Amino acid sequence: MRRRLFAAATVVATMLAITATPALAQEGNETVAEPLAADAVQAALDNIWVLIAAVLVIFMQAGFALVEAGLTRAKSVANIMMKNLMDFCVGVLAFAAIGFAIAFGTGNDLFGTSGWFLDSAEFTTNYLAESTLSLPTFFIFQVAFAATAATIVSGAMAERTKFKSYFVYSFLITALVYPVVVHWTWGGGWLANLDTPYIDFAGSSIVHMVGGIAALVGAAYLGPRIGKYGPDGKPRAIPGHSIPFAIIGVFILFIGWFGFNPGSQLAADGVVPAVAVTTLIAGAAGGVAAMAAIWLKTGKPDVAMAGNGVLAGLVGITAGTAHVNNWGAAAIGAIAGAIVVAAVLFFDRIRIDDPVGAVSVHGVCGAFGALAVGLFATTDGSPLGADSVNGLFYGGGAGQLATQAIGVAAIAAFVAVTMAIVFGAIKLLMGLRVPEEEELAGLDVAEHGAPGYGPDVLSGTGIGDFSLVGVPVSAGR
């Protein structure tokens, strides 16, 4: 009885408090509400939507972890999960302290030189002050992209990299390398200031190609996994331990992309759902095209390759997602899906061991996606409509394509050179690759002190056997 009386008193008190507020003050028989300004409502909606989009992008970290874990062997699954976890954790700290200022701080055409440690005074006076987004909202959205660029590399370097060396790499790419590319483009740098400005709406080149090029350099420095190539130099298949993990990861990434691309509008408006449609179409087209390509090549519709085709289509559309119509999105996705199959086979032939196809999906298809803007962009039927541009296929000439080519070449060259220095220095000072016996046994126990799966699970699958102390003495190779 006392609880009921207390609840009733609480409801009455709350209603009285509400009716006593100025916004709902009574004048005769009418209620007079103080209306919120339309721009204040829009600003609130913009911030809420972009924050939700940021959370979707952060959720993509789980997708990357599952794809990588599924396409590699069980004996290193804990190491893979740890790398993906630390990519995000160290990425947040590095980008907050250093990277965000280099990317968006006031400086010159090459990099920002102010706003360290998220100095709010700096970002209320530069061009970000014109946005409806608050500094916290904008930072959370951008740091999710920075972590994505970093974690792409993990898959290409899987099963053979020292964790401490990878940790150092992860800090450096999010603190220094990726932010410079962002400043050139989204930060108002030299690529954004060309007579025909460079276009990458959500990051085919800025995020994905950066990660893909870094992955290529890292994999080249490491060399292939033990047993990947036979005495004749031909590649051997090293199957992943869980296709279900990989495909669940693909679905999580697909969902996260609806934060990645529509969120990059940085506003809650009519462009958002239209961008979601081009994203959806391209991802689906990429999956179908990759399945068809590998089916024709091998006689089997390979599951992992189809999953990579979905991701390739999504990477390919990311640059032009607001600038192309639905037909263009389907074409870009399908072409990217076919390209990723050819790219995976090519890197295998030249002995670049990339266990998950990260270089092909993100590096090659990221470059293609940026170039595709110069071909497929249109003012007719695209999400941005008249605010878009016309590419070569829509009567706009080759000007935009030329700018896109300049941007892709410049970004690829910068990342390749800087990451060669980074990985070269790490290899010289710390070592980059684990010893042979650790690689054969798996990285989980040697690097982290415990297996990712319990011995009872592994022994029942034939993946590996464990001694009495829990150290794997044999594993799938």
Side-chain angles (χ1 to χ4, degrees):
M1 181 64 71
R2 288 181 179 178
R3 290 181 180 178
R4 293 177 181 175
L5 290 174
F6 177 76
T10 301
V11 171
V12 172
T14 302
M15 294 182 65
L16 289 173
I18 291 173
T19 56
T21 58
L24 293 175
Q26 300 292 321
E27 286 190 4
N29 294 325
E30 297 181 358
T31 299
V32 179
E34 295 180 1
L36 291 173
D39 55 354
V41 173
Q42 183 62 53
L45 291 173
D46 293 346
N47 278 271
I48 292 169
W49 158 239
V50 174
L51 189 59
I52 292 171
V55 171
L56 287 172
V57 178
I58 292 170
F59 186 47
M60 292 173 71
Q61 294 292 128
F64 281 116
L66 286 172
V67 169
E68 183 182 346
L71 295 181
T72 53
R73 289 169 288 186
K75 60 184 181 178
S76 296
V77 70
N79 173 260
I80 286 165
M81 291 297 173
M82 185 65 163
K83 287 190 300 178
N84 281 270
L85 176 63
M86 286 299 109
D87 276 330
F88 182 72
C89 292
V90 74
V92 168
L93 298 177
F95 201 65
I98 303 169
F100 189 79
I102 293 175
F104 296 104
T106 302
N108 51 52
D109 275 351
L110 298 177
F111 48 82
T113 57
S114 59
W116 313 108
F117 295 95
L118 299 179
D119 181 3
S120 58
E122 160 64 19
F123 296 108
T124 56
T125 57
N126 72 359
Y127 77 100
L128 289 180
E130 300 176 5
S131 172
T132 60
L133 301 182
S134 68
L135 176 60
T137 299
F138 189 72
F139 167 74
I140 293 173
F141 188 71
Q142 293 298 332
V143 79
F145 278 52
T148 297
T151 207
I152 287 167
V153 181
S154 176
M157 300 177 68
E159 300 194 81
R160 61 209 192 275
T161 307
K162 289 183 177 180
F163 175 71
K164 64 180 180 181
S165 301
Y166 185 85
F167 186 88
V168 171
Y169 140 78
S170 187
F171 177 86
L172 291 175
I173 193 171
T174 46
L176 301 173
V177 180
Y178 168 77
V180 170
V181 175
V182 173
H183 189 81
W184 290 358
T185 50
W186 297 334
W190 70 276
L191 279 174
N193 290 322
L194 294 175
D195 291 338
T196 300
Y198 184 73
I199 293 175
D200 189 343
F201 184 79
S204 286
S205 61
I206 299 170
V207 179
H208 294 280
M209 191 180 75
V210 166
I213 296 296
L216 175 61
V217 175
Y221 264 98
L222 280 171
R225 289 167 293 172
I226 296 171
K228 173 62 179 175
Y229 296 95
D232 57 359
K234 291 184 178 180
R236 296 167 170 170
I238 302 180
H241 85 280
S242 177
I243 288 297
F245 269 20
I247 300 305
I248 290 170
V250 169
F251 274 115
I252 290 174
L253 288 169
F254 208 150
I255 292 168
W257 236 284
F258 290 106
F260 210 98
N261 286 3
S264 292
Q265 175 64 3
L266 302 180
D269 60 23
V271 173
V272 169
V275 167
V277 171
T278 56
T279 300
L280 178 66
I281 289 173
V288 172
M291 179 194 68
I294 196 64
W295 202 341
L296 290 172
K297 176 69 177 177
T298 67
K300 299 291 183 182
D302 184 79
V303 181
M305 192 66 80
N308 268 344
V310 172
L311 301 182
L314 293 167
V315 169
I317 195 58
T318 295
T321 184
H323 295 271
V324 304
N325 58 27
N326 294 340
W327 291 108
I332 290 171
I335 294 170
I339 286 174
V340 78
V341 175
V344 167
L345 298 176
F346 169 76
F347 286 116
D348 246 359
R349 285 197 298 271
I350 64 171
R351 298 175 64 89
I352 297 293
D353 182 15
D354 178 3
V356 304
V359 177
S360 302
V361 170
H362 301 279
V364 176
C365 293
F368 163 70
L371 294 173
V373 175
L375 299 172
F376 291 96
T378 177
T379 58
D380 183 15
S382 66
L384 287 177
D387 291 330
S388 183
V389 298
N390 285 314
L392 183 64
F393 293 164
Y394 288 85
Q400 189 65 55
L401 181 61
T403 292
Q404 299 302 111
I406 291 170
V408 167
I411 293 169
F414 170 75
V415 175
V417 171
T418 54
M419 292 313 302
I421 295 170
V422 166
F423 283 125
I426 292 173
K427 186 175 183 178
L428 178 65
L429 299 174
M430 305 174 61
L432 195 59
R433 186 163 181 157
V434 299
E436 180 177 338
E437 59 272 18
E438 290 185 13
E439 182 178 344
L440 291 174
L443 275 59
D444 290 356
V445 175
E447 290 282 295
H448 307 287
Y453 294 110
D456 56 330
V457 177
L458 287 179
S459 62
T461 61
I463 294 173
D465 300 317
F466 283 76
S467 68
L468 293 177
V469 295
V471 179
V473 294
S474 68
R477 299 171 188 170

